[in-house]
Amino acid sequence: MLPFAYQAGRAIGAAFDAPRRTGITLPEALSSAIDAPAFDYGHQEIVTAEENFAIYRTYEWLTATACPTWG
C-alpha cells in the first residue's frame, strides 16, 4: 500500500502543485508556496529549509480543523 500512496502523491503533486512553484532549490520552492496567492488554505511557515531537508508547517487548514478526529 505504501508504494501506491507514494506514487499517488507524486502524481497529484506533479499535476497540481509543481506548476505553481518557482525556484530551483528546496528553500526557493518552499518560499514560492508561501508567497503564492493560490495557496489560500491556512497559514504556512518555513521553520527551516536547507538543500536536502526542510520543516514546513501548515496551520488552520480546513481539513485538519474540520475533522472531529483530528482536532
Side-chain angles (χ1 to χ4, degrees):
M1 185 69 164
L2 186 58
F4 173 75
Y6 176 78
Q7 291 302 326
R10 282 184 57 91
I12 291 168
F16 298 104
D17 192 40
R20 295 186 267 186
R21 301 286 176 124
T22 59
I24 295 173
T25 66
L26 180 58
E28 291 169 348
L30 291 175
S31 293
S32 73
I34 286 180
D35 297 335
F39 296 106
D40 192 16
Y41 55 81
H43 169 72
Q44 295 90 30
E45 173 189 16
I46 300 171
V47 178
T48 186
E50 300 169 12
E51 282 301 311
N52 298 313
F53 175 80
I55 298 175
Y56 181 86
R57 294 185 178 144
T58 300
Y59 303 96
E60 301 171 8
W61 189 29
L62 177 62
T63 305
T65 56
C67 180
T69 311
W70 292 352

